[in-house]
């Protein structure tokens, strides 16, 4: 919940501010009154002059009284939830508290939201008693990823005659984060994941340094069967053997963000499908206990992740997934034209499982992508078919087999390459990748 904010009531324009708040009715009364007074002087009609003065003074009195009204109100906003998938709704709760000893008049509450979230919400609040509160809510929805500011909250005051309206703005903002849609993925067996956690769950002794090969001091709760008696006699205190250190399986998700690799825009575009697919794989791997990393074609990764990527169980895994989703919520096309920077990052060592979401590939970029397979335990590539994403479903298929040629190059390099057509499901393609990987493993066994 945002911190309560006092409505700004400082004198910033005096009578000029009050006159600027005159409504159409108020301006009409003022103009008619001035015109009546002028005509009264010309015609010498005293009664007409009195009527003109009444018409002219009434809106001025309303503006002055309204401007001098000292309402002390506090407003707050709460998002439920503050992070939503694209296409889902979030509810915004507004609360107004009258913290003065005087009741308020008729209030109009208005919140400023970006146009992609829907129309600007407006609420009319009746008289609020001293110490009272009013709560209202509205819904927002966006099919486009992004971070959208909400606010500032505006309070519009009006007089009983409708002659004048003044707007007071609060100073607090909130942010709604619209993340990519995540599809649930089934557990499949893909090469490169049996080096730690995951399905393999193999353990290996940590041999990183001297501290990892000598026993440590006894701690309350340690199993007495792990007492290292030789070291105990040497140091004069109970020493226990270190537990075998688990080596967590690693997964790198490569997202191709090159602007020239995708055609079209909007929530149903090829690029949005790739972003949604990357988000689905990242969340799936985190839930399975993998250490995951998000990499783009520019060679950059998510700020704040460790050397091996994000990892953790329970709350730590949820926080890592939230940070990754926040990054994907605002990711956009890059100005790059190749995948060489990503390859430079991957060739630094064995990256475990590599899952890539690639746009349109020419022969040069397909060769670079093929080399990435050499530094991974297993590699799966989802390559978008540009022809099916550009043409309409009723169009005649475009001639040529450039897309199939790129898939063949990746498969010969050891990738499990899957073509992505328009409207394909991430879940079904994930299953297809598992079946193809299982088939390749079976063929390899028969060959041996």
């Amino acid at each position: 919940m945002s911190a309560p904010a006092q409505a700004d009531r400082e004198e910033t324009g005096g009578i000029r501010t009050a006159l600027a708040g005159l409504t159409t009715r108020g301006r009409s009364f003022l103009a008619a009154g001035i015109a009546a007074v002028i005509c009264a002087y010309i015609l010498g009609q005293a009664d007409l002059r009195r009527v003109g003065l009444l018409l002219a003074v009434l809106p001025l009195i309303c503006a002055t009284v309204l401007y001098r009204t000292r309402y002390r109100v506090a407003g707050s906003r709460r998002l439920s939830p503050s992070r939503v998938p694209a296409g889902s709704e979030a509810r915004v709760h507004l609360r107004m508290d009258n913290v003065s000893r005087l009741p308020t008049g008729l209030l109009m509450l208005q919140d400023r939201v970006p146009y992609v979230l829907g129309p600007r919400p407006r609420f009319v609040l009746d008289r609020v008693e001293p110490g009272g509160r009013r709560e209202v809510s509205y819904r927002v929805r966006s099919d486009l990823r992004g971070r959208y500011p909400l606010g500032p909250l505006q309070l519009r005051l009006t007089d009983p005659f409708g002659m004048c309206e003044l707007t007071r703005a609060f100073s607090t903002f909130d942010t709604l984060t619209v993340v990519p849609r995540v599809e649930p993925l089934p557990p499949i067996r893909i090469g490169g994941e049996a080096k730690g956690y995951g399905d393999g769950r193999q353990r290996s002794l940590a041999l990183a340094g001297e501290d990892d090969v000598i026993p440590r001091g006894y701690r309350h709760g340690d199993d007495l069967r792990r007492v290292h008696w030789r070291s105990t006699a040497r140091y004069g205190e109970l020493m226990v053997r270190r537990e075998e250190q688990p080596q967590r399986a690693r997964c790198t998700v490569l997202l191709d963000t090159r602007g020239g690799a995708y055609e079209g825009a909007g929530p149903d575009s090829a690029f949005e499908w790739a972003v949604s697919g990357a988000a689905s794989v990242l969340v799936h791997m985190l839930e399975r206990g993998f250490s995951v990393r998000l990499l783009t074609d520019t060679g950059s990764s998510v700020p704040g992740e460790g050397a091996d990527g994000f990892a953790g169980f329970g709350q730590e895994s949820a926080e890592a997934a939230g940070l990754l989703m926040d990054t994907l919520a605002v990711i956009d096309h890059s100005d790059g034209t190749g995948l060489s920077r990503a390859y430079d990052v991957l060739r630094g060592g064995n990256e475990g499982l590599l899952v890539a979401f690639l746009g349109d590939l020419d022969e040069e970029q397909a060769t670079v992508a093929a080399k990435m397979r050499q530094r991974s335990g297993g590699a799966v590539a989802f390559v978008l078919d540009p022809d099916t994403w550009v043409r309409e479903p009723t169009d005649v298929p475009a001639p040529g087999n450039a897309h199939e040629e790129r898939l063949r190059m990746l498969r010969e390099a050891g990738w499990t390459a899957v073509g992505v057509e328009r409207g394909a499901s991430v879940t079904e393609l994930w299953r297809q990748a598992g079946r193809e990987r299982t088939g390749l493993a079976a063929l390899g066994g028969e060959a041996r």
Side-chain angles (χ1 to χ4, degrees):
M1 179 180 293
S2 61
Q6 288 290 344
D8 183 11
R9 300 292 301 169
E10 295 182 357
E11 302 283 348
T12 57
I15 192 63
R16 182 182 303 175
T17 303
L19 292 177
L22 289 176
T23 62
T24 302
R25 179 185 300 178
R27 295 176 187 272
S28 299
F29 268 64
L30 182 61
I34 295 174
V37 171
I38 295 174
C39 292
Y41 276 109
I42 295 176
L43 300 177
Q45 297 291 330
D47 293 337
L48 181 59
R49 183 169 60 251
R50 284 191 290 268
V51 173
L53 289 175
L54 177 61
L55 293 178
V57 170
L58 181 59
L60 298 178
I61 293 176
C62 292
T64 303
V65 172
L66 185 63
Y67 183 78
R68 300 296 297 179
T69 300
R70 297 293 178 174
Y71 291 148
R72 295 183 58 200
V73 293
S76 60
R77 183 190 301 103
R78 177 171 57 88
L79 301 181
S80 178
S82 60
R83 183 190 293 121
V84 295
S88 300
E89 290 185 344
R91 183 168 289 275
V92 184
H93 301 268
L94 304 178
R95 173 177 166 178
M96 297 296 299
D97 294 274
N98 184 9
V99 297
S100 66
R101 297 181 180 180
L102 298 176
T104 68
L106 190 65
L107 304 177
M108 178 179 287
L109 192 63
Q110 176 179 279
D111 205 7
R112 300 186 64 178
V113 299
Y115 72 95
V116 296
L117 298 182
R120 180 173 296 182
R122 293 183 175 91
F123 305 93
V124 177
L125 304 180
D126 294 331
R127 176 181 179 273
V128 182
E129 65 278 5
R133 71 177 58 170
R134 297 290 186 272
E135 294 185 4
V136 293
S137 64
Y138 64 93
R139 294 177 297 179
V140 291
R141 180 181 182 274
S142 174
D143 293 329
L144 298 175
R145 299 176 293 108
R147 293 172 61 87
Y148 301 102
L150 301 180
L153 192 62
Q154 294 180 338
L155 190 64
R156 183 173 296 178
L157 311 177
T158 182
D159 64 282
F161 300 102
M163 298 289 181
C164 183
E165 288 184 354
L166 295 180
T167 301
R168 303 302 182 193
F170 295 86
S171 58
T172 55
F173 289 82
D174 288 281
T175 302
L176 175 67
T177 303
V178 181
V179 300
R181 286 187 290 265
V182 175
E183 295 188 22
L185 302 182
I188 61 175
R189 184 70 176 181
I190 298 179
E193 62 183 32
K195 296 184 178 182
Y197 287 147
D199 290 341
R201 294 187 180 274
Q202 297 179 355
R203 294 172 178 260
S204 62
L205 288 174
L207 302 177
E210 183 180 359
D211 291 340
D212 291 324
V213 298
I214 63 175
R216 61 168 176 82
Y218 176 82
R219 299 171 185 170
H220 179 70
D222 285 339
D223 191 349
L224 293 178
R225 290 175 296 182
R226 293 176 43 233
V227 174
H228 194 268
W229 297 109
R230 181 178 300 177
S231 299
T232 298
R234 178 180 178 182
Y235 293 101
E237 59 177 334
L238 280 178
M239 305 292 291
V240 296
R241 294 187 298 273
R242 291 180 178 270
E243 294 179 346
E244 294 179 343
Q245 303 296 323
Q247 181 181 2
R248 187 183 301 274
R250 302 172 62 183
C251 175
T252 298
V253 177
L254 172 62
L255 177 61
D256 183 6
T257 63
R258 294 173 298 141
Y262 301 92
E263 296 289 343
D268 297 328
S269 63
F271 181 67
E272 293 301 319
W273 188 97
V275 174
S276 178
S280 302
V281 173
L282 287 169
V283 173
H284 176 70
M285 289 302 178
L286 272 176
E287 292 175 349
R288 297 189 61 189
F290 277 68
S291 176
V292 300
R293 180 174 65 164
L294 174 63
L295 183 66
T296 66
D297 57 287
T298 61
S300 60
S301 55
V302 180
E305 69 178 13
D308 294 334
F310 289 101
F313 292 96
Q315 184 64 27
E316 294 181 0
S317 179
E319 293 176 356
L323 184 56
L324 290 169
M325 292 300 103
D326 289 345
T327 302
L328 289 175
V330 296
I331 201 167
D332 202 354
H333 291 292
S334 67
D335 297 330
T337 58
L339 303 172
S340 57
R341 294 183 180 178
Y343 172 70
D344 292 338
V345 175
L346 292 173
R347 69 178 180 179
N350 193 330
E351 297 296 328
L353 177 63
L354 175 61
V355 181
F357 291 86
L358 305 174
D360 188 17
L361 297 175
D362 55 20
E363 184 176 358
E364 179 182 357
Q365 300 310 316
T367 303
V368 175
K371 295 179 181 179
M372 297 179 184
R373 172 64 181 85
Q374 303 172 0
R375 297 298 181 179
S376 61
V380 180
F382 297 95
V383 186
L384 280 76
D385 186 353
D387 292 335
T388 62
W389 285 91
V390 173
R391 71 170 187 266
E392 296 297 329
T394 56
D395 292 345
V396 179
N401 56 355
H403 176 68
E404 293 296 332
E405 179 64 21
R406 306 297 180 255
L407 293 178
R408 184 189 62 80
M409 293 177 60
L410 295 178
R411 288 165 181 161
E412 290 180 352
W415 285 83
T416 302
V418 179
V420 180
E421 297 183 354
R422 184 176 184 178
S425 169
V426 179
T427 303
E428 293 302 323
L429 292 181
W430 184 254
R431 288 196 181 99
Q432 179 182 343
R435 290 192 298 266
E436 293 186 6
R437 189 69 189 180
T438 303
L440 290 176
L443 291 176
E446 293 177 1
R448 287 192 296 271

